[in-house]
Amino acid sequence: MLRLTEVKLPLDHPEEALQAAILKKLQITPAELVSFSIFKRSYDARKKEDIVFVYILDVETTQEKRLLQRFKKDPHVVLTPDTSYRYVAQAPNTATASLANRPIVIGAGPCGIFAGLLLAQMGFRPLILERGKPVHDRSVDTFGFWSKRKFNPESNAQFGEGGAGTFSDGKLYSRVKDANHHGRKVLEEFVNAGAAPEILYVNKPHIGTYRLVKIVENIRRTIESLGGEFRFESRVQTIEIEEHGENRQVRGVVLATGEYIPSEHVILAVGHSARDTFEMLHQQGVYIEPKPFSIGFRIEHPQSVIDQCRLGSQAGHPVLGAADYQLVHHCSNGRSVYSFCMCPGGQVVAATSEVGRVVTNGMSQYERSGKNANSGIVVGITPEDYPGSPLAGMELQRQLEERAFELGGRTYEAPGQLVGDFLAQQPSTILGSVKPSYRPGVHLCDLSFSLPDYAIAAIREALPAFDKQIKGFAMHDAVLTGVETRTSSPIRIKRNTDYQSLNTAGLYPAGEGAGYAGGILSAGIDGIKVAEAVALNILQGVNQGAGQGATQTA
C-alpha cells in the first residue's frame, strides 16, 4: 500500500475529488486503483480567503512496485508504514489460573483504563481500583455540584471512572514520540467503544464529555468480559512494601476499609489531583521529586471573535467547525505565558477535588456549539518558585485554590474579572457582552491578588501581545476566571527503564499523576507502555519459577 502526503483540495471539494487527485498524482487509470482511505485530514488556513484541506491518503493499487520505483525521489509517495499494534506477551495458564496475585491498577482514568484493557487483552485479568464512582453516577455528582453546589470530595470532576479527562474537551492529540504507534491503538479502541471513526484521521480529534461517558462504560465492559474486575469507591489507603536493607518490594495494597489485597505488580495510575495519595507515598519513602507546572486563569471570548480571526470569510463553515488557537509569549520578566487546553464552543467548569478550594478547567461537547471559546492562560513555574519538600508545588496549588475560594465569596463561585479591568488594574463590578459560563457562578473582583505577583505581571504583558495575533483577544469585555492550577502534576514519581519506581520494585508509576503524561491520549499511551512492562515482568517471574522447578526436580 502507498502513502500519499500533501494532497491539497479546496474546502468544498466533492467526494469524488479525492479519487481524481490520486489518479492525477500517480498517473494511473481508475482500473489500476483498488481502494484508498484517509489516514489524516487537516486544513491550512494561512490564507484565510483560500483555506484548503490537506490529506494523507493510503492507496492500494495494482501498480505498487512500478509506482514506488517511479516516485522513489518523491517524499510524498512512500510505502505505507505498518501501524498495527502487536501484543508483547500473552499470559500462560499459570498466570491466569489464580487471582491471588494478579496485577492491580490504581485509578480508572485514561491511563488506568488502557493499562487495564491491555492487561486484560493479554490474559492477565487485572483488578482496577477506583476511589470514585462509576462514570454515570460520578456525572450526576459532578453536575449536581455545578448546579446545586453539593460537593462530594470523592466524586467530582477529578475523581471517578474516566478521570479528569471525562469533563474536558475530550482532546485526542499529543506531542509525545510514538514510534510503536501506541496512539493509534488508543484511538482504535475508542472507536471500538463507540467513538466516531473520524477520530482516526482528523488532525485534532476530540470526543466531547457526553460521548466520553458511554465510551468509558463500554471499555469497562470489555475489560470485564476478558476477566478483569473493577471495584469503585475503593480508595487505596497504603501500599504494603517489604523492605530488606536497601531493597523494597511491593506486596499489596490496603484499602480505606482496611481490606488487604496482595499483589507484586501495582500500577499507580492516579491523576494529578490525588494529593492524599502523593502524601502517603512520600511518607512511605517512595522516591518523588518536584516538577514544573503552570498557573493562571481561564479566559472567555465570544467564539465568533475567534472564528472570524482564524477563518476569515469561512468563519462558521460547518466542516471547519469552531476555530481554536495556540498562543505563547515570552515575557520581559523571564516567564512564559501560553494558552492551555483550548476549548472551542465550550464552557469553563468547576474542577475542585477538595473542600474549600476553587479550581477551573475547560470542557466542550462534541458539537462545540457553545457561544464562548475558553482557554487557560497560564504561566510556567518551576521548583525554584516553591523550594523545600517534593510536595511543595502541591501546597502552592492548595494555597492559590484557597485564595480563589475566598475571593469568590466562599460559595464555590469563582473569582472573575473583565480583561479590560485586569489590564487597567481596577476591580470589575459589572459584566459586559461576554457572559461567563462557569457554574456555580462568577463573583467579580480584582484578580490581582489571586496569583503571585510575577504571574500577574506576566499575564498582563501577554494579553496585549496575544491581541496582536488574534484581534479582540484583549477586548475589554472578555472574562478571566480564576484559578487554573492543575495544568499538570506538581510531582514526578521517578521510574527506571523497566517502568518500576526508582526505589520500590513492583510499583509502576504511570500517567498524569506520576508526571509522565498530559492529556487523554498521552495518558492512554503511557498506560499501554506500563501494562506491557508489567506483563513482561510477570512472564519473566513465571519462567524463572518454572526453571527453578525443573532444576529442583532434576
Side-chain angles (χ1 to χ4, degrees):
M1 187 170 288
L2 301 179
R3 174 158 290 177
L4 275 60
T5 59
E6 289 295 306
V7 177
K8 297 183 179 181
L9 291 171
L11 190 60
D12 291 311
H13 70 79
E15 187 175 346
E16 57 269 20
L18 276 172
Q19 178 172 320
I22 294 169
L23 299 177
K24 181 179 179 181
K25 173 65 179 178
L26 297 180
Q27 301 172 35
I28 59 176
T29 66
E32 293 170 327
L33 177 62
V34 178
S35 66
F36 69 91
S37 60
I38 301 171
F39 181 77
K40 188 70 67 179
R41 186 191 73 191
S42 57
Y43 63 82
D44 184 346
R46 286 175 294 181
K47 297 180 180 179
K48 297 182 181 61
E49 303 310 313
D50 186 27
I51 298 175
V52 296
F53 276 126
V54 183
Y55 288 94
I56 299 176
L57 303 170
D58 288 328
V59 178
E60 184 179 358
T61 170
T62 59
Q63 304 299 311
E64 183 175 299
K65 290 183 180 179
R66 178 173 62 84
L67 292 171
L68 282 173
Q69 181 62 28
R70 178 194 296 175
F71 291 96
K72 63 182 179 180
K73 294 183 179 181
D74 189 336
H76 301 305
V77 180
V78 298
L79 199 63
T80 299
D82 183 2
T83 60
S84 57
Y85 180 78
R86 292 175 175 82
Y87 297 99
V88 301
Q90 193 64 37
N93 292 335
T94 52
T96 58
S98 171
L99 298 179
N101 194 27
R102 59 180 164 169
I104 290 175
V105 180
I106 304 175
C111 180
I113 286 174
F114 276 94
L117 178 63
L118 262 290
L119 286 169
Q121 289 174 336
M122 290 186 286
F124 291 96
R125 303 170 72 184
L127 171 62
I128 296 102
L129 301 173
E130 168 56 52
R131 68 187 296 168
K133 296 181 180 180
V135 66
H136 179 269
D137 296 340
R138 172 205 182 190
S139 299
V140 172
D141 290 337
T142 302
F143 287 112
F145 171 52
W146 295 347
S147 61
K148 301 178 182 177
R149 309 187 192 196
K150 294 181 179 179
F151 178 62
N152 183 342
E154 294 294 331
S155 181
N156 47 63
Q158 303 293 349
F159 297 151
E161 185 182 22
T166 304
F167 299 98
S168 70
D169 195 37
K171 298 179 184 69
L172 297 174
Y173 44 93
S174 171
R175 294 184 180 89
V176 300
K177 294 181 179 179
D178 189 22
N180 294 321
H181 310 293
H182 289 131
R184 188 72 177 180
K185 168 70 169 173
V186 172
L187 295 178
E188 287 174 349
E189 292 295 348
F190 274 129
V191 171
N192 291 340
E198 69 177 30
I199 69 170
L200 293 172
Y201 63 82
V202 295
N203 186 43
K204 293 183 178 180
H206 74 285
I207 294 179
T209 292
Y210 288 138
R211 293 193 177 197
L212 266 172
V213 170
K214 190 65 177 177
I215 290 165
V216 167
E217 289 178 331
N218 288 340
I219 295 176
R220 184 215 311 162
R221 293 188 184 100
T222 298
I223 294 172
E224 291 173 335
S225 72
L226 295 170
E229 179 185 350
F230 280 78
R231 292 178 60 177
F232 296 102
E233 299 182 79
S234 298
R235 182 169 60 84
V236 173
Q237 186 75 24
T238 58
I239 295 177
E240 289 291 297
I241 301 171
E242 184 177 86
E243 300 190 38
H244 292 288
E246 295 183 356
N247 297 321
R248 293 158 51 91
Q249 170 66 51
V250 167
R251 294 300 181 195
V253 302
V254 179
L255 303 184
T257 58
E259 179 184 357
Y260 171 69
I261 306 174
S263 178
E264 295 180 357
H265 299 86
V266 175
I267 297 176
L268 185 74
V270 298
H272 56 42
S273 296
R275 293 168 172 171
D276 50 2
T277 301
F278 299 157
E279 291 169 333
M280 174 267 289
L281 294 168
H282 184 52
Q283 291 170 2
Q284 291 192 268
V286 174
Y287 183 83
I288 297 174
E289 63 183 24
K291 63 172 279 294
F293 61 101
S294 300
I295 56 176
F297 306 125
R298 279 271 147 186
I299 190 168
E300 288 190 270
H301 301 89
Q303 181 64 48
S304 58
V305 170
I306 307 302
D307 290 345
Q308 184 61 42
C309 180
R310 303 294 284 177
L311 304 176
S313 62
Q314 297 291 350
H317 192 289
V319 177
L320 296 176
D324 63 3
Y325 57 78
Q326 189 173 347
L327 302 167
V328 63
H329 175 70
H330 302 289
C331 301
S332 57
N333 67 358
R335 304 284 172 170
S336 291
V337 180
Y338 63 98
S339 59
F340 170 79
C341 185
M342 195 272 156
C343 296
Q347 66 187 84
V348 180
V349 300
T352 188
S353 58
E354 295 179 324
V355 174
R357 297 187 171 100
V358 164
V359 185
T360 62
N361 194 12
M363 181 182 89
S364 294
Q365 302 304 340
Y366 176 76
E367 296 81 7
R368 290 177 166 174
S369 57
K371 292 182 178 180
N372 290 355
N374 80 81
S375 172
I377 297 296
V378 296
V379 183
I381 60 176
T382 73
E384 293 181 358
D385 295 307
Y386 39 91
S389 160
L391 304 183
M394 183 184 81
E395 293 306 322
L396 174 61
Q397 288 177 325
R398 280 176 163 162
Q399 292 169 16
L400 298 178
E401 292 162 14
E402 288 172 2
R403 190 179 304 171
F405 183 70
E406 295 286 342
L407 288 171
R410 302 179 60 84
T411 63
Y412 290 106
E413 288 190 350
Q417 189 174 14
L418 273 60
V419 165
D421 292 333
F422 177 75
L423 294 175
Q425 302 185 43
Q426 62 187 26
S428 289
T429 57
I430 187 170
L431 291 170
S433 59
V434 180
K435 305 304 178 185
S437 58
Y438 178 94
R439 294 182 296 164
V442 170
H443 180 80
L444 293 176
C445 63
D446 186 351
L447 289 174
S448 301
F449 310 102
S450 62
L451 297 175
D453 290 344
Y454 59 77
I456 295 295
I459 294 173
R460 282 201 173 114
E461 179 181 322
L463 290 174
F466 292 157
D467 195 78
K468 294 178 181 179
Q469 299 178 60
I470 298 179
K471 185 175 176 57
F473 200 86
M475 62 185 288
H476 184 277
D477 287 0
V479 177
L480 294 170
T481 308
V483 290
E484 174 97 38
T485 52
R486 304 196 194 180
T487 53
S488 67
S489 181
I491 65 163
R492 177 168 286 114
I493 307 172
K494 290 203 72 175
R495 62 194 187 192
N496 291 307
T497 55
D498 63 1
Y499 294 90
Q500 297 184 63
S501 161
L502 208 61
N503 70 341
T504 308
L507 181 66
Y508 294 79
E512 284 209 44
Y516 291 99
I520 293 173
L521 184 60
S522 62
I525 291 171
D526 203 55
I528 291 174
K529 292 178 179 179
V530 172
E532 291 174 342
V534 168
L536 292 172
N537 189 271
I538 291 174
L539 288 187
Q540 182 182 21
V542 169
N543 293 334
Q544 287 176 349
Q548 291 173 358
T551 301
Q552 292 170 359
T553 301

